[in-house]
Amino acid sequence: MHFTAIDIELANHHLSSICQIGIAVFEDGELVETWDSYIDPVEDFNPFNTKLHGIDAWTVYQAPKKHEIIDDLRHYLDDQAVVSYGLFDRHAIYSNYPDSFKTQWYDVTAIVRKVWPQFDKGGFALNKMATFLDIPQTQHHDALEDAIICGQILCEALKVSGKSLDKWSHK
């Protein structure tokens, strides 16, 4: 089983304001590669977002613009099974890079709610599931750490369900 987990942080409420991307590649249930980058969104930072993830204009000073990382993203996303914790990250990617990648996209929250029925109605936030599964976390809302945790949650869900990733429907 091979998949790429992704997480994105935004500078403000616009999907165009990507300020950090984290990617974690898993092979047979093990983390085998990571990549992350701050992105200069060329947009203003909302104080709420900065308080949430700690990224501000100074953090992304001299960081690449989103068009400058397209080759990196293509390397990790194109022709891959890509997973995210909810649909937000998928929407952000396709809003910023329309028609750039051919992926099989999976929403880990949909899998979590089926594997652990007690979370069907809620309570399955990334940090809460990490705590539930005893996955260490140090900096929630860091894109790389959240991508890694997303992948670890999925690995545990696949183990508990006895299903491989391709047995779950993707959209």
Side-chain angles (χ1 to χ4, degrees):
M1 163 190 66
H2 178 89
F3 67 85
T4 301
I6 188 169
D7 189 79
I8 292 174
E9 301 299 333
L10 298 180
N12 57 50
H13 67 280
H14 299 288
L15 289 175
S16 61
S17 70
I18 294 175
C19 62
Q20 186 188 25
I21 297 177
I23 290 177
V25 180
F26 286 78
E27 184 74 46
D28 297 325
E30 297 292 325
L31 177 65
V32 296
E33 186 177 356
T34 62
W35 177 87
D36 70 305
S37 181
Y38 288 116
I39 312 295
D40 180 349
V42 194
E43 293 189 32
D44 291 333
F45 280 79
N46 181 302
F48 174 82
N49 293 58
T50 295
K51 184 177 180 182
L52 191 67
H53 51 53
I55 303 167
D56 58 16
W58 183 252
T59 308
V60 301
Y61 176 71
Q62 296 188 334
K65 311 288 190 281
K66 64 185 170 189
H67 71 275
E68 295 174 320
I69 63 160
I70 187 77
D71 290 335
D72 294 306
L73 294 178
R74 191 169 286 119
H75 169 75
Y76 289 105
L77 304 180
D78 209 22
D79 293 321
Q80 299 297 317
V82 178
V83 305
S84 60
Y85 209 78
L87 298 175
F88 163 81
D89 305 282
R90 177 184 176 184
H91 293 311
I93 286 292
Y94 286 129
S95 291
N96 286 279
Y97 306 99
D99 304 318
S100 294
F101 315 110
K102 294 179 285 181
T103 63
Q104 295 177 328
W105 207 285
Y106 298 84
D107 175 5
V108 175
T109 64
I111 296 169
V112 162
R113 293 189 332 259
K114 290 177 182 169
V115 172
W116 293 285
Q118 67 267 37
F119 298 110
D120 185 44
K121 302 290 185 214
F124 54 84
L126 182 79
N127 60 331
K128 291 181 181 183
M129 285 306 299
T131 299
F132 173 73
L133 297 171
D134 293 321
I135 297 171
Q137 48 188 331
T138 58
Q139 189 179 354
H140 187 43
H141 293 296
D142 172 79
L144 180 57
E145 180 170 314
D146 287 353
I148 292 169
I149 290 172
C150 171
Q152 291 171 325
I153 291 170
L154 177 60
C155 289
E156 188 62 27
L158 296 176
K159 189 182 332 175
V160 168
S161 72
K163 292 183 177 181
S164 62
L165 183 57
D166 62 343
K167 298 297 182 198
W168 296 97
S169 65
H170 60 276
K171 296 178 182 172

